[in-house]
Amino acid sequence: YLAGVATSTSEIKNVVTKDAIIVTLVSIIGVGLVILLIFKSFSLPVLLLIIIQASIWINTSILFVADMRVVYIGYLVIQTLQLGATIDYAVLLTSRYKEFRTENNSKEAIKKALNSSGISVIISAAVLAIAGYAEGLFSNISAVKEIGLLIGNGAVISCLLVIFVLPSALIAFDKIISKTTLKANFLTKPIKENNEITEVIEANEVIEVKEVKEEPNKNKKEKSRNEIKKSKSI
């Protein structure tokens, strides 16, 4: 117990546990600052980091549920690697959402954002997942296999959360995002109301045109009646 594998393993465990906390906090703060500068928003960094961190927690919790053992360094690697590699999915979708939100309501904007960037997110996640699973399935080193499987699972989970959870979160917190984002320029008036107004205006114009057309006809009829009366009197 004083020297050998047990002692070194215990020291590595203690060091990795402390390093994991420090590395996770530093990576979250660093990524959050980058997103803050890109979007100029206080709410979007928090929202995007929660989505990606949730995927990391799900990924690591699967190991506990499945009773799988992973080397200590695996947790340290996956905390930073999955965050850095998959935050791009959320950033891409959110940037497209902000772009379309200036001309559409929240639901239409997220539909267009998914149509324009959803395929890119899926392809990027698929490439990372395939690379991770290939490393996990064909490597002869146990530590490398475990980390590879974690990377593959992380890519898939992050993609699913970005495609299915992030859109709902963006719609739910749309007002908060608009208020906490510099020059958001989100569309405030619903499009349906504008369409209804234009339809009413067009309908009124049609009625006015009909009334204008009917007035000359009435004048002609009155003139013809007056002429008939004059002819009878003569």
Side-chain angles (χ1 to χ4, degrees):
Y1 296 98
L2 298 177
V5 178
T7 304
S8 61
T9 302
S10 178
E11 290 179 357
I12 292 172
K13 178 181 177 181
N14 294 330
V15 171
V16 169
T17 302
K18 293 179 181 178
D19 289 347
I21 297 172
I22 297 172
V23 170
T24 301
L25 290 176
V26 171
S27 59
I28 288 174
I29 293 171
V31 172
L33 288 175
V34 172
I35 298 174
L36 175 65
L37 294 175
I38 292 173
F39 290 114
K40 297 178 181 178
S41 173
F42 291 101
S43 57
L44 284 176
V46 177
L47 183 61
L48 301 188
L49 285 171
I50 288 174
I51 295 294
I52 300 302
Q53 279 298 131
S55 67
I56 295 173
W57 295 331
I58 293 171
N59 190 13
T60 53
S61 64
I62 291 174
L63 300 175
F64 176 77
V65 174
D67 196 17
M68 296 173 60
R69 294 184 178 181
V70 182
V71 291
Y72 298 121
I73 197 172
Y75 291 100
L76 185 61
V77 171
I78 201 64
Q79 286 282 344
T80 55
L81 184 60
Q82 185 176 343
L83 177 62
T86 61
I87 192 68
D88 294 341
Y89 311 158
V91 170
L92 176 60
L93 181 63
T94 304
S95 63
R96 300 298 290 170
Y97 173 77
K98 277 192 64 183
E99 180 181 347
F100 290 119
R101 187 64 180 84
T102 57
E103 299 177 355
N104 302 273
N105 57 32
S106 58
K107 293 182 179 179
E108 290 296 326
I110 201 63
K111 287 180 182 178
K112 292 182 179 181
L114 285 171
N115 290 332
S116 62
S117 61
I119 296 175
S120 300
V121 171
I122 293 172
I123 292 174
S124 180
V127 170
L128 182 60
I130 291 171
Y133 287 135
E135 184 179 359
L137 294 174
F138 298 105
S139 178
N140 294 322
I141 304 173
S142 60
V144 175
K145 291 180 67 173
E146 293 167 355
I147 294 174
L149 292 175
L150 284 173
I151 293 172
N153 293 336
V156 173
I157 295 169
S158 297
C159 179
L160 292 176
L161 289 185
V162 168
I163 294 296
F164 294 105
V165 178
L166 182 58
S168 301
L170 290 173
I171 294 174
F173 297 101
D174 181 76
K175 292 182 179 179
I176 297 175
I177 294 171
S178 178
K179 293 179 180 179
T180 57
T181 302
L182 182 64
K183 296 180 180 180
N185 296 325
F186 284 2
L187 183 68
T188 55
K189 294 182 180 180
I191 295 176
K192 291 183 178 179
E193 292 181 0
N194 294 333
N195 289 336
E196 290 176 358
I197 292 170
T198 54
E199 288 177 359
V200 171
I201 292 172
E202 290 176 356
N204 291 333
E205 289 178 353
V206 171
I207 292 170
E208 290 177 357
V209 170
K210 287 183 179 179
E211 289 178 353
V212 171
K213 288 182 178 179
E214 288 176 356
E215 285 180 358
N217 293 330
K218 289 180 181 179
N219 293 330
K220 288 181 181 180
K221 289 180 180 179
E222 289 178 358
K223 288 181 180 180
S224 60
R225 288 176 183 175
N226 292 329
E227 290 177 355
I228 292 169
K229 288 180 180 180
K230 287 180 181 180
S231 61
K232 286 182 179 180
S233 62
I234 294 169

